[in-house]
Amino acid sequence: MAQLDTLDIIVLVALLVGTVAYFTKGTYWAVQKDPYASAFANGSAAKAGKSRNILEKMDETGKNCVVFYGSQTGTAEDYASRLAKEGSSRFGLKTMTADLEEYDYENLDQFPEDKVAMFVLATYGEGEPTDNAVEFYEFISSDDVSFSEKSSDESPLGTLQYVAFGLGNNTYEHYNSMVRNVTKFFDKLGAKRIGTAGEGDDGAGTMEEDFLAWKEPMWSALASAMSLEEREAVYEPVFEVTEKPDMDPEDDTVYLGEPNKNHLEGHSKGPYNAHNPYIAPISESRELFNDKTRNCLHMEIDISGSNLSYQTGDHVAVWPTNAGKEVDRFLDILNLTSKRNMVVGVKGMDATAKVPFPSPTTYDAVVRYHMEICAPVSRQFVSQLAQFSPTDSIKAEMVKIGNDKDLFSEKVAEKNYNIAQFLDYMSNGAKWDKIPFSIFIESLHKIQPRYYSISSSSVVQKNKISITAVVESVEKPGAPHVVKGVTTNYLLALKQKQHGEPN
């Protein structure tokens, strides 16, 4: 059954069985850019006086490696973060990650020869750039691309050393077209590519292994090109997590899942978009059918007073909440159950590190609302966690699994473990209380919205939108547990709560 936790009940009562939703035009694989998203982001940046000059930013912060990402669902951003951390811990690079839409590119011709730029680029829809990479792609692909000083040179990017990895899906016609086209444009402009341009294939289910297979020879090539010396990788936190026992989780300044300050203060207002979602009450929910293996839900979401509108073909994005059972499991295996409501502050260790959620908050709120704790485990993360194992024997086994693709597939991937399930399996229930909480903030994806087709007509009911979804609960061969879809089971829990049903 779907599980509803105590905090959900409080939120649901306050919001009349509410969920967080915003609307976006298009399809899941080809969503048009939210007209307010860039304005919101750029407006915030302008208020903070943030520079769009990447060279200036690197000089100010002492960086010699920037990892740009073009990401739609968070995977490319995650890979960029992993490259930045590995470059720092293994080779002593001074790294930073950078959202492509937050910088200008006219001065790439001035990129110093003793620094390196990495590009992690997802292909979206039918060969399109992700929303945050549109301006970059339009600039670099222009027939008359013009740089700040050397626009007349045949090789204006002659001093730019770069690395590239693409994320694609071979079931689409324009497979990995972003990384292929960008490297073609860079090469034409005289940039120096280090190593081969990697390509990950989500369609074949090999994205993670493609990434791991690409990065090792890439690091070797980069070490040779920049005269880097590899050292034993030691965990260096990107974020500082500080417990605040003097603060009460009920304080007005503590975030318990609210996405921004307006929501925290109880007066959210539009325009609503990915940065500022709308809290929408569910006016009606019912099951179209159910049996022992699956349920099919019909839900109507009330958007009255929001100024949101939709048309046929639009999708609704729903932010899920992790199931209470999985939140409990995660906190328990880290020995944080007694501290679940401890208020914590989270800040970046340097100016380029962006905390992916507002704080102060609590351990429980971070795990419940902000981290993809139910996502598949990566082999690289297994290797990274080995140093924090409860015993030397467990550490040896973790290292072995992290270094062996086939063993990882047998012990982890085929069993469909999430991270807490895997740690529990490895230690037979012994607590992993040596792991810094910051490593999970850095390494687990931020919870992303899931998109659902709108099944209602705006002509018939302009202030309500309907979605119809099959609840995912799958028993997979070899998996010791039922694999549950995070969002559809969250919606089922909302429906059960609305009707006073057990869950």
Side-chain angles (χ1 to χ4, degrees):
M1 298 294 287
Q3 179 150 346
L4 207 66
D5 54 80
T6 303
L7 286 181
D8 277 334
I9 293 172
I10 295 172
V11 172
L12 294 173
V13 171
L15 300 176
L16 302 177
V17 195
T19 186
V20 180
Y22 84 95
F23 299 89
T24 182
K25 185 77 173 176
T27 66
Y28 183 80
W29 290 106
V31 180
Q32 292 185 10
K33 191 162 186 175
D34 186 323
Y36 298 109
S38 291
F40 183 90
N42 293 341
S44 298
K47 289 179 182 178
K50 182 176 179 179
S51 171
R52 292 183 59 84
N53 185 325
I54 187 60
L55 302 184
E56 186 178 275
K57 184 71 171 181
M58 293 178 74
D59 286 342
E60 288 176 354
T61 55
K63 307 300 183 184
N64 61 359
C65 173
V66 57
V67 189
F68 291 105
Y69 58 86
S71 186
Q72 196 73 29
T73 62
T75 305
E77 182 178 0
D78 173 61
Y79 283 172
S81 175
R82 287 161 62 177
L83 286 174
K85 285 185 290 184
E86 190 170 358
S88 174
S89 63
R90 283 180 62 183
F91 298 96
L93 286 167
K94 304 300 181 183
T95 61
M96 64 175 286
T97 59
D99 187 330
L100 278 168
E101 74 176 350
E102 294 184 358
Y103 295 93
D104 298 322
Y105 303 97
E106 288 84 356
N107 62 353
L108 282 180
D109 59 332
Q110 300 176 48
F111 204 90
E113 288 183 291
D114 60 347
K115 299 183 180 183
V116 64
M118 299 185 178
F119 293 84
V120 183
L121 304 169
T123 297
Y124 197 50
E126 296 299 331
E128 301 151 12
T130 56
D131 286 352
N132 74 317
V134 170
E135 292 181 10
F136 163 73
Y137 187 73
E138 289 177 348
F139 172 80
I140 204 68
S141 63
S142 172
D143 290 336
D144 57 349
V145 58
S146 178
F147 294 98
S148 58
E149 291 185 353
K150 305 175 183 177
S151 57
S152 60
D153 290 359
E154 290 185 3
S155 301
L157 299 185
T159 62
L160 174 65
Q161 296 190 100
Y162 79 97
V163 165
F165 181 80
L167 295 80
N169 186 317
N170 70 6
T171 63
Y172 286 79
E173 179 181 357
H174 302 283
Y175 172 61
N176 259 312
S177 63
M178 266 297 287
V179 73
R180 293 179 180 183
N181 289 339
V182 168
T183 55
K184 178 180 69 176
F185 297 136
F186 273 160
D187 293 348
K188 180 180 178 181
L189 294 167
K192 302 170 184 175
R193 185 171 74 246
I194 297 174
T196 60
E199 295 185 356
D201 187 0
D202 190 49
T206 59
M207 181 73 76
E208 177 70 15
E209 290 301 331
D210 292 338
F211 174 72
L212 296 181
W214 163 80
K215 73 179 183 66
E216 286 308 316
M218 180 278 293
W219 284 126
S220 296
L222 184 62
S224 176
M226 296 185 67
S227 300
L228 303 175
E229 291 188 10
E230 185 171 1
R231 61 189 186 183
E232 183 179 356
V234 177
Y235 173 64
E236 299 172 345
V238 175
F239 301 111
E240 179 183 14
V241 180
T242 305
E243 294 183 352
K244 298 180 178 293
D246 56 321
M247 293 188 69
D248 190 298
E250 297 303 317
D251 285 354
D252 292 341
T253 58
V254 176
Y255 290 83
L256 298 177
E258 297 87 354
N260 56 46
K261 190 174 182 180
N262 282 340
H263 284 274
L264 178 68
E265 295 176 347
H267 51 73
S268 65
K269 56 185 178 180
Y272 296 107
N273 49 62
H275 304 276
N276 184 40
Y278 175 62
I279 305 294
I282 295 175
S283 59
E284 181 182 342
S285 61
R286 64 180 184 272
E287 293 192 46
L288 300 182
F289 68 81
N290 71 79
D291 56 36
K292 292 182 179 180
T293 59
R294 64 178 185 165
N295 311 66
C296 184
L297 298 176
H298 175 86
M299 310 194 85
E300 295 191 1
I301 301 173
D302 191 341
I303 58 172
S304 301
S306 67
N307 286 325
L308 290 169
S309 61
Y310 71 96
Q311 297 177 3
T312 302
D314 285 0
H315 284 59
V316 60
V318 179
W319 272 263
T321 296
N322 286 313
K325 179 179 179 180
E326 294 304 327
V327 173
D328 293 344
R329 189 200 310 272
F330 186 94
L331 293 171
D332 177 66
I333 198 64
L334 298 183
N335 205 26
L336 287 174
T337 300
S338 63
K339 289 186 173 184
R340 68 188 312 150
N341 295 319
M342 170 70 73
V343 177
V344 295
V346 183
K347 66 178 183 179
M349 297 293 282
D350 72 38
T352 66
K354 296 190 298 184
V355 181
F357 49 81
S359 77
T361 182
T362 65
Y363 286 120
D364 187 288
V366 174
V367 176
R368 191 177 304 274
Y369 299 110
H370 298 296
M371 297 196 303
E372 293 275 15
I373 62 172
C374 295
V377 181
S378 78
R379 184 157 62 90
Q380 186 177 5
F381 196 34
V382 172
S383 296
Q384 192 175 13
L385 292 179
Q387 61 190 299
F388 305 110
S389 298
T391 66
D392 288 341
S393 60
I394 294 174
K395 177 180 179 180
E397 185 66 13
M398 290 280 285
V399 170
K400 188 177 178 182
I401 292 173
N403 290 333
D404 189 322
K405 174 182 175 181
D406 294 332
L407 186 61
F408 173 82
S409 178
E410 175 191 343
K411 296 285 189 180
V412 186
E414 291 178 6
K415 296 183 183 298
N416 291 100
Y417 283 131
N418 63 38
I419 187 60
Q421 291 167 341
F422 171 66
L423 294 178
D424 183 66
Y425 161 75
M426 288 298 298
S427 66
N428 197 26
K431 308 306 180 191
W432 291 70
D433 50 12
K434 299 177 185 177
I435 305 178
F437 192 72
S438 57
I439 203 170
F440 293 105
I441 300 174
E442 299 161 18
S443 302
L444 297 183
H445 287 195
K446 179 182 178 181
I447 279 188
Q448 298 291 324
R450 275 65 161 176
Y451 293 87
Y452 294 89
S453 298
I454 295 176
S455 55
S456 56
S457 167
S458 59
V459 176
V460 177
Q461 50 181 56
K462 67 176 183 178
N463 290 324
K464 290 183 181 179
I465 66 104
S466 300
I467 59 174
T468 304
V470 174
V471 179
E472 294 184 89
S473 296
V474 182
E475 293 187 25
K476 293 191 175 182
H481 56 275
V482 176
V483 180
K484 291 181 175 289
V486 174
T487 308
T488 53
N489 278 275
Y490 168 58
L491 294 175
L492 176 59
L494 294 178
K495 177 262 176 185
Q496 291 169 340
K497 179 61 184 177
Q498 188 174 45
H499 292 273
E501 300 169 352
N503 57 72

